[in-house]
Amino acid sequence: MPSIEDWVNSPLKIVQNLYDQHGTEYTNKVKEYFSKKLEERNALSCIPSLNQVALHELPPNSLVKFRCMIQDMFDPEFYLGLYEVKNKQTGKGVMKVGQYKDIAECQADEEVQVSSERNVTMDRQQFYCVPIPGEADWVKKEFSKSDQAIEMPSTSSEPVRSKRCFDEEPSSPCSMVSSTCSTLSQEMSPRMEDTEMVSSPSPMFGESKKSKPGESNAAPSSQQLPDLNFPLPGEKGPACLVKLYDDSDTFKVNDTVEFVGVLSVDPSMAKFPSESVQLDFVIDPLEDMMDMAEHNAHSPPSSLVPRLHAVMSYKLEHVNPYLPRELSKTPSQSCKFIGIESILSQSKVVRKEVISLLEQALFGDNLAAEYLLCHLISSVYARRDVVAVGKFSLNIIGCPKPDEPLQEYAPRLYHLIGNFVTKHHFLPMSLDFMKAKLFSPRKDYSANRLVSGILQLASRTHLVIDETRLQQGQLDATGVKNVTALGNLISWQKVDYDFNYHTQEFTTNVPVLILSEGKSLLPSDCRVHLTPCLPLDNMSYLAAVESYLTPSLLTKIRSYIGLLSLIEYSMSDGMQKSLEEDFVEARKDNAQNMSVEDFHGLLVLARLLSLSYGQTNLSKDMWEKAKQMDRERKARIPK
């Protein structure tokens, strides 16, 4: 039985052995094998992570994992799933597996039979993936601490392959086999579905055979560094081109996924296609029609954008390291997981701590603290036509302006919130920022890729908008589009992606908090006027809150907020009837006393209040508390 070092360090050997044993049925056997291995206790934590380990420290062709967001989906790619290799001396041919590889492997005394009738051409889906935008530093640190990946020596010196037989002449079959396991590999387009594949150089092909050792792995110059297409500015971490062999229909753009697969960083893919040497053999007629920008975008150097051939994939419901990877669909089943029942039982105690901290950060305003907590645990849990049910965007009015003594209040409050939630981003809503940045993603047809924007965010990313920085002035066309995009995100939880001649709606789940001096120019589900009980003269209150956050308390709060935004909530038939009677009674004298929108807002507030107390069913007490909070909030609105 292979040890963990074997199946993690040399997964391609395992795949080849399974093919040798089971023939064409090997595909299912591969998935069964790795699925069984990864189900073993702590097996996943023993696999190195691209999120934590530098790329140059990872052995090529070893098993790695990558926690990411799907930023774009490229066209499927043809490759040689099975190919024949013949020994030059004996003439004996054997079949090799081309899955989970970018390069068709052969020894120095072997050659790939490109024209063999035994070769099998397959296709695979390509995802361009980036680190999860706005993922909190504490999340990364916790995952890093739990990573038990063993130190594995590099296997790059093992004589497994001859690096595309660099010593051969360019016309030799082995040197003609390039980054997609053969020169037959091409990106599939609708026009190529019924087109016979012919030999042509891959964009990542063409490394000069005269290149000196070590030069192929060198990073391109600064002028050649590509835009890694991160949605948020300042993001760090590797982008990755993930190649998926099954279940590709289960994923979509903006999904958060953890892929486990074979790392491919072959030297032949170390340059941009525009730098590659064109070889003298038949070129696909479609090759000339493809813009070099598309080649560069889809085939960047592997030293910057490694390839990951997925053997397993896990769609992430959340990225909270304190919670189980998968939560069940009902509260009763959720409680069987270790820690879930404990979190719910301590909800009232933890809630009291959180309210105390938020109240201090909001200058002693208990009502604003209650609303802010409800906002932090809010999440879209259903969609009814165009309505995103469960969203609870909040506008806190009366925040100090940047030119007042408390200049950095909004960033400090955002920093406090960032200690509690797993994904977050701060958006300073100044005129210059609104004019300069791209909020909605757009399609770049010359490069055939989706150019990301600030609003291309993963589900449950908390967006904090600092409107206190907005000054008088006029927005340009870009600024107007950005404001409109923010408004649509808040109102409908959707973002319109720009495809030049049309727009495409992408649904999202992004809680939005707006900090403003007066009423925000953006819409919101709830507006709370801040009523300070403490003087607005310094930031000592926030400093005191931050000093109070011990590691043990932070763990409780993060588990509490993370769980409450995920668990199910229900309402009994008797409670529904009671609410209907309450609604009718409130409208008896005057229909304007309780509009349909007001009633819906109360239902959302009551749901969040119940969850904040660890209750998954609405009670009469929580309903009355929600109505009382709503009356107090409305009483603060200036006449």
Side-chain angles (χ1 to χ4, degrees), residues 166-180:
F166 285 157
D167 294 333
E168 301 291 334
E169 292 298 322
S171 59
S172 69
C174 199
S175 65
M176 291 170 62
V177 181
S178 74
S179 59
T180 49

Side-chain angles (χ1 to χ4, degrees), residues 445-458:
Y445 286 97
S446 63
N448 192 22
R449 70 166 184 169
L450 186 66
V451 179
S452 62
I454 290 177
L455 298 185
Q456 188 178 8
L457 299 172

Side-chain angles (χ1 to χ4, degrees), residues 516-530:
S516 62
E517 179 193 6
K519 180 180 176 181
S520 173
L521 59 87
L522 296 170
S524 62
D525 297 310
C526 181
R527 293 187 174 94
V528 178
H529 288 260
L530 193 63

Side-chain angles (χ1 to χ4, degrees), residues 377-391:
I377 63 174
S378 65
S379 178
V380 176
Y381 63 88
R383 291 187 182 270
R384 304 286 185 266
D385 295 327
V386 297
V387 178
V389 185
K391 72 183 182 73

Side-chain angles (χ1 to χ4, degrees), residues 8 44-50 53 58-59 62-66 147 149-150 152:
V8 172
L44 191 60
S45 64
C46 293
I47 298 176
S49 172
L50 276 173
V53 184
L58 295 170
S62 64
L63 211 61
V64 299
K65 60 188 176 185
F66 185 43
D147 193 352
I150 54 179
M152 295 176 295

